[in-house]
Amino acid sequence: GAGVSQSPSNKVTEKGKDVELRCDPISGHTALYWYRQSLGQGLEFLIYFQGNSAPDKSGLPSDRFSAERTGGSVSTLTIQRTQQEDSAVYLCASSPPQGYQAFFGQGTRLTVV
Amino acid sequence: AQRVTQPEKLLSVFKGAPVELKCNYSYSGSPELFWYVQYSRQRLQLLLRHISRESIKGFTADLNKGETSFHLKKPFAQEEDSAMYYCALTFSGGYNKLIFGAGTRLAVHP
């Protein structure tokens, strides 16, 4: 399929462990975004990539969160020393150059126990 | 700061009834407003954009700058409209970064 792909779909991890969430955007989309959807909350912006650069990291909640993008394509969101409050659905979206529409992945549901 | 408010967490109506999902925003400049929808077990997708001034699946939304609102309306709800609806804005220089409301769940009963 040509949509945004995220893996894994579900991740259960123990408190204190590190996790990596992956996003494969639509080919040719230069912009990539990570959002977090917590229970009862809206979608919270985390970070924006244009190509491999991240000009806006303002939504990352703490220094335990980091993200990178390589080759202008795949992105990885890493959460170190996970806490229970990190439990949420993490959504990735991409947009084409000059485009306005965000195309979302199916999300990764992270549960920290 | 930019902010989007959706005051209703749940809107429950019967099939054929009119629907209005409320959205208010705060932004001092000229925002671009969107409605995104998430049907059960599907990914979040764009429903409509204020600039397009289209009707999608019978839904319309008008940007009211005086009231800073962008309410989503449909005259006759259908069961297949049941979903989670999110109002969102982007702003000039915002590189399409979406600021979302908390969402409203629309439940249409037969």
Side-chain angles (χ1 to χ4, degrees), chain B residues 4 14-15 20 25 28 30 34-35 40 58 65 67 77 79 83 85 89-90 95-96 102 107 110:
Chain B
V4 177
F14 287 103
K15 177 182 172 181
E20 183 179 48
Y25 66 91
S28 56
S30 294
F34 302 85
W35 278 97
S40 179
K65 291 187 177 181
E67 296 183 357
E79 289 179 69
Y85 291 80
L89 72 78
T90 64
Y95 36 83
N96 296 331

Side-chain angles (χ1 to χ4, degrees), chain A residues 3-4 33 35 37 41-43 45 48 56 58 99-102 104-106, chain B residues 9 32 34 36 38 43-44 46 49 52 86 95-98 100-103:
Chain A
V4 177
Y33 311 82
Y35 293 88
Q37 186 175 30
Q41 306 287 323
L43 283 87
F45 167 81
Y48 156 68
D56 188 350
S58 63
Y100 62 87
Q101 183 172 350
F104 282 83
Q106 80 281 15
Chain B
K9 287 190 175 181
E32 184 163 359
F34 302 85
Y36 276 79
Q38 188 166 28
R43 59 189 65 193
L44 193 62
L46 178 66
R49 177 189 183 207
S52 302
Y86 293 94
Y95 36 83
N96 296 331
K97 167 182 171 179
L98 289 161
F100 284 93

